[in-house]
Amino acid sequence: MKKSVLFVAATLVLNTLGMDAQQVNKKDPQVKKRIEKLIKRMTLEEKVSLLHGNSKFYVEAIPRLGIPEWALSDGPHGVRAEINRHDWAYAGWTNDSATYFPTGTAFAAAWNPGLAYRRGEVLGEEARFRGKDVLLGPGVNIIRSPLNGRNFEYMSEDPFLNAKLTVPYIQGLQSRDVAASVKHYALNNQETERTTIDVYASERALREIYLPPFKAAVEEGGALTVMCAYNKFRGEFCSENHYLVRDILKGEWGFDGVYMTDWNAAHSTVGLAMNGLDLEMGTDKADYNDWFYAKPLIEAVQNGEVPESVVDEMVGNVLRVMIRTNVLDPKKRFSNASMNTPEHQYEAYRSAVEAVVLLKNENNVLPINIDQIKSVAIIGDNATRRHSDGGLSSEIKALYEVTPLEAFQKKYGDKVEINYALGYEKLSTFVEGANNGQSAGYFTDGGGLDEKVLDEAIEAARKSDVAIIFCGLNHDYDTESADKQYMQLPYGQTELIAEISKVNPNTVVVVIAGSPVDLVAPSICAPAIVWGWFNGMEAGNAFADILTGKENPSGKMPFTLAYSLDQYPAHAFNNYPGRKGVVNYDEGILVGYRWFDTKKQPVVYPFGHGLSYTTFEYGQLSTDKQVYGTDDVVKVSFTLTNTGSRQGGEVAQLYVSDVESSVCRPSKELKGFDKVFLEPGETRTVEISVPVSELAFYDETQRKFVVEPGEFQFHIAASAGDIKNTVSIQVQ
Ligand code: BGC
């Protein structure tokens, strides 16, 4: 199917589904009756059996009531291979290879809600094929520190962008009768001391930065399950945090699905039950009867510590999710199942193409005209490395993963000479027992460049017309369970890039990484830089097509690339990874570009930055009115013209500044965006709507969001660092 057709179709479905999701969220009297009937027929033991795992990823069946075993599976960018029932080893199935999508930050870099919806659909179809009812993802936490090992699984440093992509992902997934599990609720921003760290953030930071993606997932996306974070928030574990769960998630947002633990994140029985936890998974006790929500829960009910009505409420939540995803209707349950279809692979390819960000392109080094060159050097460990099977819980047994070198060889091997050289070696070493004993350890750089390996790469670059270095990180660094220890490129890659750039003026650096790295030196010495991400099974094809101009890059950075680690707010305040088990988010709401802009800090590449092989011109910006009430919607419009000679996509970004405010507000905040594809010479009028309520800040005294009257500036921009036009409005 053509991209434009597919995109329109996905958007249409998306709009219709937005309505459906809300309807599903309303209390359905028939579902309620069915739940009550089932609960009435259950013994206490049967009820409790539905509230905890009976193995690593399954929940017990109650055959006499027609309740099958409930199947959960990781993860956010593909359905994970089958794991043994009672240990973490892979089961060794031969039919559990899956479609592998670009990971979280790559997903965000595409800035495309239509793609997000389709990704959800594909994941849903494959989960169904594998017999899964719940797919554990998406991960929607905010990127606070470049060092967080799980940044690659999450999305961006901006809550608005995360929310806008999370909603269609969930709707797409759940349209296939698979429940999403939005994770990790909440403030899960580091892996150091991940199971004990106690996070303190202001109410304002909580409401404006850390909660919005979860709120949107529940209220707009209709997410059916939510997974807790391992960490504590204000002294209480997130699994049993009364404020986060009872007050906000289930109270304010009206969530009536399943709130589950992360694997082995339960710490009590009564605490969990009274604070709203519905499902215990992954507890590290061999006998399932010993789990907090097994025999101890039965006893707590029997001795009056937990009212049976609380157990009924949890069971009701589990049954409600089962009913909404057809788990209790055997004929319908797996009707949306398919696996590894060409359409799925096409979606993985489109997602990969749209994620690639062109950071720099001096002298039009890119795109490479394959017909006009005789040779190309392909350099770097990441030119041949597959990444699908790394990173821990989100690892995928990909049906295939095309590496960059394979793609170049297959597509152009008969046209040009390909001179491959390793360049640098993946020599990370494991440091045992690090992170205060909270994780097994972490990987660190195993040393600099080997002279011989470097010389071979220099020679390959010298004798080639173009040199492409596939560098960056791998899942030794971007991984669950350990943070990175520094932001520099490991293994001497910075030196490699400098040396190659010296001998070849057409050097292209392709960064394969899922979190911010130090690009200061490469941005000075290399004429072209592309950010390629852990980009899924079609990564190599996408890179080859973008680098040779078959496809035009249209991704934009989902995080800021600053000059140094201590420029990032968490580090500037020395508030990472915390002290004595506590981390204070003293930077408050000034996370990511909100900080760099407000503090006027120079950066290497700003949030939202990304170039194209064509050029775009932004026309005059206007709003439908001048003066607005607090219930109004501001309709912003502007023209966008493709002024170059190639078809291309531009993510136009709308930022808003509050000019007069009684509290500190970020210099500007993202409030809208649109990814627009234009033919050469084509002009389109783009409209973006912003409800005035979106201009609010969280007032800690009144404990609610407040829009203060006065002037607001709307900026249309190509990135947080490249404002094209500004217009002012008044709110009365
Ligand atoms: C991770 C979760 C994951 C779960 C099951 C945990 O270690 O934090 O994200 O879904 O394991 O594999």
Side-chain angles (χ1 to χ4, degrees):
M1 208 187 311
K2 273 221 168 74
K3 175 183 62 204
S4 50
V5 178
L6 194 84
F7 182 73
V8 172
T11 315
L12 282 176
V13 186
L14 187 66
N15 292 339
T16 345
L17 254 134
M19 281 166 50
D20 286 358
Q22 274 159 24
Q23 280 154 8
V24 163
N25 253 344
K26 286 191 186 140
K27 314 275 176 262
D28 178 338
Q30 283 196 337
V31 172
K32 205 166 160 238
K33 246 191 228 153
R34 192 168 170 193
I35 291 171
E36 280 166 5
K37 249 170 125 182
L38 279 167
I39 292 181
K40 262 196 201 123
R41 295 176 61 198
M42 288 179 194
T43 63
L44 178 60
E45 284 70 18
E46 281 173 334
K47 289 177 188 173
V48 166
S49 74
L50 289 181
L51 305 180
H52 65 90
N54 68 355
S55 53
K56 285 285 174 219
F57 284 93
Y58 292 88
V59 176
E60 192 75 6
I62 310 181
R64 73 175 188 92
L65 298 177
I67 300 174
E69 196 169 52
W70 204 27
L72 291 70
S73 170
D74 282 311
H77 36 263
V79 184
R80 193 178 184 184
E82 194 69 15
I83 284 175
N84 282 340
R85 282 186 74 84
H86 304 295
D87 64 57
W88 283 105
Y90 282 103
W93 288 11
T94 50
N95 59 351
D96 55 353
S97 301
T99 298
Y100 160 46
F101 274 92
T103 71
T105 33
F107 169 62
W111 294 63
N112 188 335
L115 274 182
Y117 185 85
R118 285 288 307 136
R119 172 187 175 116
E121 283 184 322
V122 172
L123 292 177
E125 286 164 16
E126 299 213 343
R128 269 308 184 219
F129 188 90
R130 288 274 317 285
K132 307 300 179 191
D133 304 301
V134 182
L135 195 65
L136 307 172
V140 305
N141 298 89
I142 294 293
I143 295 183
R144 175 176 180 260
S145 159
L147 301 187
N148 180 14
R150 292 190 95 166
N151 282 339
F152 79 98
E153 272 187 73
Y154 295 156
M155 295 177 190
S156 82
E157 64 187 26
D158 183 77
F160 182 85
L161 179 58
N162 282 19
K164 287 296 162 205
L165 297 175
T166 297
V167 169
Y169 175 123
I170 293 168
Q171 290 171 338
L173 178 70
Q174 294 189 171
S175 76
R176 297 306 191 250
D177 301 326
V178 174
S181 190
V182 185
K183 60 192 189 180
H184 304 90
Y185 187 69
L187 299 112
N188 186 248
N189 309 103
Q190 65 186 56
E191 290 301 277
T192 305
E193 296 184 61
R194 67 173 181 159
T195 58
T196 53
I197 192 78
D198 191 1
V199 178
Y200 284 79
S202 70
E203 194 62 20
R204 199 170 157 209
L206 178 72
R207 300 289 182 156
E208 290 187 27
I209 305 294
Y210 296 100
L211 292 189
F214 290 99
K215 184 172 193 277
V218 169
E219 290 187 344
E220 295 168 50
L224 292 171
T225 87
V226 174
M227 186 193 293
C228 84
Y230 281 127
N231 49 278
K232 292 178 186 165
F233 176 58
R234 296 182 188 157
E236 282 173 4
F237 281 111
C238 290
S239 53
E240 50 183 273
N241 191 296
H242 194 276
Y243 186 53
L244 286 179
V245 186
R246 284 271 183 221
D247 293 345
I248 297 178
L249 178 68
K250 297 192 169 191
E252 291 176 33
W253 304 344
F255 176 70
D256 63 359
V258 168
Y259 185 56
M260 68 174 80
T261 61
D262 194 343
W263 269 236
N264 201 25
H267 301 277
S268 74
T269 297
V270 179
L272 287 181
M274 301 315 286
N275 292 309
L277 191 279
D278 301 299
L279 178 66
E280 177 192 11
M281 293 302 295
T283 298
D284 204 8
K285 291 181 184 175
D287 187 341
Y288 297 97
N289 289 315
D290 293 339
W291 284 26
F292 297 99
Y293 264 18
K295 221 163 127 240
L297 181 57
I298 296 174
E299 284 162 9
V301 172
Q302 283 163 347
N303 67 27
E305 283 179 294
V306 174
E308 190 157 350
S309 60
V310 170
V311 169
D312 289 352
E313 177 200 325
M314 302 170 195
V315 174
N317 293 340
V318 170
L319 292 173
R320 190 173 303 107
V321 175
M322 287 182 167
I323 291 168
R324 284 179 180 165
T325 50
N326 290 331
V327 174
L328 303 188
D329 295 284
K331 279 204 194 110
K332 287 201 215 150
R333 186 175 180 197
F334 297 119
S335 54
N336 285 314
S338 63
M339 195 83 191
N340 295 323
T341 67
E343 289 78 16
H344 293 184
Q345 287 146 23
Y346 174 78
E347 283 307 323
Y349 172 75
R350 287 308 324 157
S351 292
V353 165
E354 287 203 29
V356 174
V357 181
L358 178 60
L359 289 173
K360 178 181 176 186
N361 192 18
E362 256 170 27
N363 310 325
N364 290 333
V365 165
L366 290 173
I368 301 160
N369 187 337
I370 271 298
D371 297 328
Q372 281 180 7
I373 61 165
K374 292 202 176 64
S375 54
V376 56
I378 304 265
I379 298 166
D381 178 80
N382 273 336
T384 57
R385 183 162 300 282
R386 291 186 172 77
H387 298 281
S388 43
D389 60 355
L392 282 189
S393 69
S394 67
E395 63 200 18
I396 307 296
K397 185 167 151 191
L399 181 69
Y400 62 82
E401 179 181 347
V402 181
T403 68
L405 182 62
E406 282 168 353
F408 267 87
Q409 280 166 338
K410 188 151 180 225
K411 286 170 189 269
Y412 311 116
D414 56 351
K415 287 199 185 123
V416 294
E417 181 185 308
I418 294 177
N419 300 311
Y420 169 72
L422 179 59
Y424 68 90
E425 291 172 282
K426 177 182 177 284
L427 287 172
S428 348
T429 45
F430 192 66
V431 181
E432 209 138 345
N435 290 348
N436 300 339
Q438 288 299 325
S439 78
Y442 57 76
F443 279 93
T444 190
D445 195 335
L449 296 170
D450 177 282
E451 287 299 326
K452 189 167 162 278
V453 174
L454 173 63
D455 286 347
E456 282 165 5
I458 292 174
E459 189 42 35
R462 199 196 304 274
K463 67 177 186 199
S464 303
D465 294 326
V466 178
I468 311 174
I469 311 170
F470 289 92
C471 61
L473 304 175
N474 49 53
H475 286 306
D476 282 359
Y477 289 90
D478 275 330
T479 182
E480 180 186 338
S481 130
D483 285 339
K484 288 188 286 172
Q485 305 301 302
Y486 40 80
M487 222 177 106
Q488 281 73 34
L489 289 171
Y491 321 123
Q493 292 177 79
T494 306
E495 192 189 335
L496 170 74
I497 293 165
E499 293 304 315
I500 299 296
S501 304
K502 274 186 214 161
V503 299
N504 193 319
N506 298 320
T507 293
V508 180
V509 170
V510 182
V511 183
I512 310 293
S515 56
V517 294
D518 180 348
L519 285 189
V520 179
S523 77
I524 296 166
C525 53
I529 305 183
V530 167
W531 196 295
W533 313 106
F534 300 116
N535 217 357
M537 67 203 293
E538 287 284 339
N541 287 332
F543 298 151
D545 290 349
I546 292 237
L547 295 173
T548 57
K550 187 172 168 236
E551 294 283 351
N552 196 345
S554 63
K556 299 267 188 174
M557 287 312 282
F559 47 70
T560 308
L561 288 168
Y563 282 92
S564 67
L565 184 62
D566 53 17
Q567 242 190 312
Y568 288 86
H571 298 269
F573 282 97
N574 199 20
N575 278 327
Y576 164 92
R579 287 181 58 239
K580 297 185 180 166
V582 172
V583 59
N584 289 304
Y585 289 11
D586 284 334
E587 70 279 10
I589 53 160
L590 296 182
V591 177
Y593 67 89
R594 286 168 170 76
W595 165 262
F596 296 105
D597 285 359
T598 309
K599 300 292 177 192
K600 301 197 171 27
Q601 294 266 318
V603 300
V604 187
Y605 296 109
F607 174 80
H609 173 72
L611 305 171
S612 166
Y613 297 150
T614 188
T615 44
F616 297 98
E617 197 177 289
Y618 286 75
Q620 220 35 56
L621 178 65
S622 63
T623 51
D624 58 335
K625 293 198 290 183
Q626 250 286 293
V627 182
Y628 294 84
T630 44
D631 293 332
D632 287 346
V633 174
V634 185
K635 292 197 179 114
V636 180
S637 57
F638 57 96
T639 54
L640 190 64
T641 305
N642 181 346
T643 48
S645 53
R646 283 169 185 266
Q647 196 258 17
E650 168 73 340
V651 179
Q653 299 153 47
L654 183 70
Y655 295 88
V656 178
S657 314
D658 186 353
V659 180
E660 304 160 28
S661 175
S662 61
V663 298
C664 158
R665 298 208 68 178
S667 171
K668 62 179 183 296
E669 294 181 275
L670 186 72
K671 294 293 172 192
F673 64 87
D674 196 1
K675 188 165 197 176
V676 186
F677 288 90
L678 296 172
E679 296 299 324
E682 187 185 352
T683 297
R684 180 127 15 115
T685 302
V686 184
E687 289 184 355
I688 299 179
S689 293
V690 182
V692 172
S693 56
E694 281 273 344
L695 309 180
F697 65 88
Y698 188 82
D699 185 328
E700 296 196 331
T701 355
Q702 297 187 55
R703 296 187 74 81
K704 61 173 191 186
F705 276 93
V706 171
V707 185
E708 280 182 346
E711 182 187 349
F712 289 85
Q713 288 179 337
F714 283 61
H715 316 280
I716 195 70
S719 79
D722 187 8
I723 292 178
K724 300 293 188 184
N725 282 309
T726 296
V727 72
S728 283
I729 62 138
Q730 294 288 328
V731 171
Q732 280 183 341

